[in-house]
Amino acid sequence: MTVYLDANASEPLRPAAFEAMARAAFLSGNPSSIHAEGQAARRVLEDARHVLAEAFGTEADGVIFTSGGTEANALALHAFRRQRMAMGATEHDAIRTPARRHAQVTALSVTPEGTLDIDALGAFLDSGDAALVCVMAANNETGVLHPIREIAARCRSAGAWLHVDAVQAAGRVPVTLDTLGADSLAISGHKFGGPKGAGALLTRAATVDPLIQGGGQERGRRGGTPPLPAIAGMAAALREALAEDGGQQRVWRDRIEAAAREVGARVAGADAPRLGQTSALVLDGVAAQTQLIALDLAGYAVSAGAACSSGKVAFSHVLDAMGYGVAAGHAIRVSLPWNVEESDVEGFIAAYRAMALRLGGAGRRA
Ligand code: PLP
């Protein structure tokens, strides 16, 4: 059986989320209907909304349910589509792709450790008319955490809106609108053990320019009957994720990194503040795809950076922006899921060691 170590692509579904989904799935009513069945469905929807509002530090009407992180980011950007914006060079394609439709987009450089270059942000903000800045809370490939509070303070004094893609951070490290100082946050349920198909844009401002218009759901900000089972599952997963501290995962993550270094790997962003369950391991000279195939054959599911729809292994724009050059094609990402066990970690270490000694520089030297 395959051991799944690709949590940043999608976390395994939590049983509590599944139970909440099953309960919601049997509610026949549409939350917009007046009758008792409709109102029962509405209660589940509003309970979930309160869980998210409380978790991310906003009021209930600051929660706009979406189909996931991609849509939440696109919705945030949509309101600024004719204005100047900047984004970190290591953002996910869920920001980079809609950003291309903006009149003027500046990609802000990052340090070799992967954190946003604050001087680059300052230069952008000083150049005038800065409407929007997008910086992710945690990077999906390296786990590196950006200094969002500092970024927020800069944006606030320049009058620019700060949108934070918190898809990888939510449920793993504390993120609220207040503690980050952000104007909006995007989150996605399947990244913390909920089902695929639900996410949210969290904001305090009432005005959002809708991407999808229709029956006036979500106060006219996102049309369409909400996917109640997915939303109920997301809220149940979030409750559980927030009760965990991730300490054990961090210990195991460190063990993996120490073992990988022994066989010649480098750890991208190692000296930056990072998520405790993500490692980007660079094995110089060995194509990411070769590593993935070897590990897959050994029974370990990991990935090379972002999961893209074509299933192809793409060159990592994240490691490229961090200055890795050709080695940006030689990295794999290990991201430990909420239900990882010590035997999974030990098994992975043995498989990685064998793979690196066979294919890597350390092996060639031996
Ligand atoms: N933002 C980041 C940082 C991500 O890692 C992902 C998914 O990998 C997304 C956005 C997109 O989220 P979703 O899959 O819910 O659309």
Side-chain angles (χ1 to χ4, degrees):
M1 219 179 69
T2 301
V3 172
Y4 184 77
L5 303 178
D6 200 10
N8 291 10
S10 201
E11 285 274 4
L13 188 67
R14 294 173 185 269
F18 180 74
E19 282 158 24
M21 288 167 72
R23 281 193 301 274
F26 284 107
L27 294 173
S28 308
N30 184 318
S32 301
S33 299
I34 300 292
H35 49 61
E37 278 81 0
Q39 292 312 299
R42 169 145 307 260
R43 271 195 298 282
V44 171
L45 184 68
E46 295 313 316
D47 284 353
R49 196 184 304 283
H50 278 100
V51 171
L52 267 69
E54 195 183 335
F56 298 110
T58 184
E59 301 297 323
D61 71 358
V63 179
I64 305 166
F65 289 120
T66 65
S67 61
T70 301
E71 187 190 330
N73 281 319
L75 181 56
L77 266 70
H78 188 59
F80 297 90
R81 64 195 174 282
R82 276 181 270 281
Q83 300 175 61
R84 276 188 79 219
M85 68 164 283
M87 61 178 179
T90 58
E91 293 299 299
H92 189 272
D93 280 348
I95 293 288
R96 298 200 315 153
T97 305
R100 283 193 202 112
R101 289 169 44 198
H102 282 242
Q104 274 180 287
V105 192
T106 303
L108 305 173
S109 52
V110 297
T111 66
E113 286 302 312
T115 54
L116 195 83
D117 178 346
I118 295 292
D119 291 340
L121 173 66
F124 169 75
L125 294 172
D126 289 346
S127 63
D129 292 342
L132 171 68
V133 172
C134 295
V135 182
M136 65 208 320
N139 183 268
N140 47 300
E141 295 189 26
T142 59
V144 166
L145 302 168
H146 288 289
I148 300 291
R149 284 188 68 80
E150 191 179 350
I151 293 166
R154 297 288 189 110
C155 290
R156 203 173 313 116
S157 48
W161 181 277
L162 175 63
H163 172 67
V164 173
D165 176 349
V167 163
Q168 294 291 348
R172 292 182 177 149
V173 290
V175 278
T176 69
L177 285 162
D178 269 340
T179 53
L180 296 179
D183 295 301
S184 54
L185 296 178
I187 63 128
S188 174
H190 74 102
K191 304 290 187 179
F192 45 78
K196 295 160 185 73
L201 180 67
L202 304 136
T203 179
R204 269 187 236 105
T207 50
V208 166
D209 194 0
L211 271 174
I212 303 173
Q213 285 168 307
Q217 292 90 347
E218 300 298 291
R219 294 176 180 249
R221 296 168 300 179
R222 202 279 187 177
T225 301
L228 200 59
I231 290 171
M234 167 166 67
L238 182 62
R239 269 211 192 95
E240 218 174 81
L242 292 174
E244 296 166 352
D245 73 356
Q248 183 62 71
Q249 285 179 324
R250 185 177 290 272
V251 170
W252 289 339
R253 190 272 318 258
D254 289 350
R255 210 185 281 175
I256 289 172
E257 293 184 355
R261 284 192 176 100
E262 273 174 24
V263 288
R266 296 186 280 163
V267 179
D271 294 330
R274 280 186 296 149
L275 293 176
Q277 47 66 268
T278 306
S279 300
L281 305 176
V282 184
L283 195 58
D284 290 287
V286 187
Q289 181 136 0
T290 309
Q291 299 183 49
L292 291 188
I293 293 169
L295 291 167
D296 187 40
L297 289 173
Y300 293 88
V302 295
S303 74
C308 76
S309 57
S310 65
K312 283 192 212 132
V313 174
F315 187 76
S316 165
H317 75 277
V318 174
L319 296 200
D320 192 35
M322 292 165 72
Y324 275 82
V326 68
H330 302 163
I332 62 158
R333 174 185 73 192
V334 184
S335 48
L336 305 180
W338 63 268
N339 58 354
V340 68
E341 293 182 4
E342 186 164 19
S343 57
D344 301 336
V345 172
E346 294 304 336
F348 174 76
I349 287 174
Y352 187 87
R353 247 188 97 71
M355 184 268 298
L357 290 173
R358 190 157 41 87
L359 304 171
R364 283 198 294 272
R365 280 194 299 276

